[in-house]
Structure formats: structure tokens, C-alpha cells
Amino acid sequence: QVQLVESGGGLVQPGGSLRLSCAASGSIFRINTMGWYRQAPGKQRELVAVITSGGSTSYADPVKGRFTISRDNAKNTMYLQMNSLKPEDTAVYYCNADVQITANRGYRSYWGQGTQVTVSS
């Protein structure tokens, strides 16, 4: 079994910063791509940023230049540094990881439970 646990969400004023963490634990042989997604009330879940095991990154247009995704492969942990936050960034943020639990098994996608980020004055 694999668990992903997000932390670091909260209430922040516009223009402020937050750093989210996603820690993966359990039966993990290898983690491939990891990513952050978000879902605002009444909207579909959307991609925020992804990072490969080699460190290549990709960002959604609304967060480019403000958010930075990173990971520590030794700790099976991913981060999202969010700067210059806007009210429209308010959402539940979810982490996702493609995990291989043994060398002879394929990758499977896992999700965390989500952490609330609220940007408001």
C-alpha cells in the first residue's frame, strides 16, 4: 500500500507565499512522475505542475513564474513553493505520484487526500 500525505496548506493574504509538501510512504520501489493538481469549488480538478524523476518540470500557464515544483527523491517527497498568491489560487491542492511497488510491477497512480489553500484578505 502507498500513501501520499500533503501538508502546508492554510490561509494567506494576496501576495503571500506558502510551501506545500507531499510525502510518499509505504511499499515503494520507484516513483516516476509526481504532480500537483488543484480543485476549486464548482470546478474540475486541474493540473498545476509536474516533475519527472529526473527533475524536468512543467507548469500550467496561470502559475508560471509564481510557483516552483521540486522533489527530494531520497525522501520520496515533493514540494510546491507558491509565491505571489492570488485569490484565484484558492483551491484544494492534491498531490499525485506514479509509483512502482516492485521491480516486476507496472506503475500505478496514487493521490493524496488534499490540503486546502485559501488566499483572502
Side-chain angles (χ1 to χ4, degrees):
Q1 191 71 3
V2 174
Q3 298 84 37
L4 301 181
V5 178
E6 301 100 334
S7 60
L11 173 64
V12 64
Q13 292 187 340
S17 298
L18 281 175
R19 188 191 194 211
L20 305 183
S21 298
C22 171
S25 62
S27 300
I28 297 172
F29 175 73
R30 184 182 292 126
I31 302 177
N32 193 6
T33 300
M34 302 182 77
W36 288 99
Y37 292 74
R38 67 186 182 186
Q39 187 167 18
K43 294 187 177 181
Q44 290 188 332
R45 190 173 298 188
E46 63 178 8
L47 173 68
V48 175
V50 294
I51 184 167
T52 68
S53 57
S56 296
T57 61
S58 180
Y59 297 89
D61 286 343
V63 308
K64 282 181 180 177
R66 299 189 297 123
F67 291 9
T68 302
I69 189 171
S70 61
R71 64 191 284 177
D72 184 333
N73 291 331
K75 296 181 179 178
N76 288 335
T77 300
M78 174 179 63
Y79 307 95
L80 185 68
Q81 178 66 43
M82 304 186 294
N83 299 329
S84 302
L85 282 161
K86 304 175 181 180
E88 51 263 44
D89 294 318
T90 295
V92 178
Y93 283 71
Y94 298 90
C95 71
N96 173 265
D98 292 332
V99 180
Q100 188 180 22
I101 60 173
T102 62
N104 60 349
R105 298 284 293 273
Y107 286 91
R108 176 184 168 185
S109 181
Y110 292 86
W111 291 89
Q113 82 289 348
T115 185
Q116 177 70 47
V117 171
T118 301
V119 185
S120 175
S121 55

